[in-house]
């Protein structure tokens, strides 16, 4: 899983000027991007079987569907 996490250069290039952001916003953005990336990897590895991907991520199927909608993963 560590290989799937964003690297520091990816974080720097994907975030706006850090002077305009609070630490909480930076952390929330990092968590969101990381969560979305891990969900996409889980879906790819399960051939887009959402139930199996949810099990792989150790979250409920309903949470999987809600997060997919929130992150616009189709």
């Amino acid at each position: 899983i560590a290989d799937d996490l964003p690297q520091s250069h990816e974080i720097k290039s994907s975030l706006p000027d850090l002077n305009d952001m609070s630490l909480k916003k930076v952390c929330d953005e990092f968590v969101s991007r990381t969560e979305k990336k891990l969900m996409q990897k889980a879906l790819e590895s399960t051939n887009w079987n959402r139930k199996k991907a949810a099990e792989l991520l150790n979250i409920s199927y309903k949470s999987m569907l809600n997060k997919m909608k929130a992150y616009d993963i189709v």
Side-chain angles (χ1 to χ4, degrees):
I1 292 179
D3 292 340
D4 293 332
L5 297 177
Q7 301 300 311
S8 62
H9 69 277
E10 292 176 301
I11 295 167
K12 289 177 186 175
S13 68
S14 64
L15 293 176
D17 185 7
L18 295 178
N19 294 329
D20 295 336
M21 293 185 76
S22 69
L23 180 59
K24 179 168 178 22
K25 283 186 178 183
V26 171
C27 290
D28 290 345
E29 183 71 19
F30 176 79
V31 168
S32 295
R33 288 175 185 261
T34 302
E35 192 171 57
K36 181 177 180 178
K37 189 171 184 178
L38 290 173
M39 289 178 65
Q40 288 171 323
K41 292 278 188 183
L43 286 162
E44 289 169 8
S45 72
T46 60
N47 211 18
W48 285 81
N49 182 314
R50 296 173 297 183
K51 188 171 183 173
K52 287 182 181 179
E55 290 172 7
L56 186 64
L57 295 169
N58 200 27
I59 61 174
S60 70
Y61 179 67
K62 185 174 181 176
S63 289
M64 183 73 178
L65 296 179
N66 289 336
K67 288 175 184 293
M68 287 178 70
K69 183 176 181 180
Y71 295 136
D72 199 27
I73 300 173
V74 288

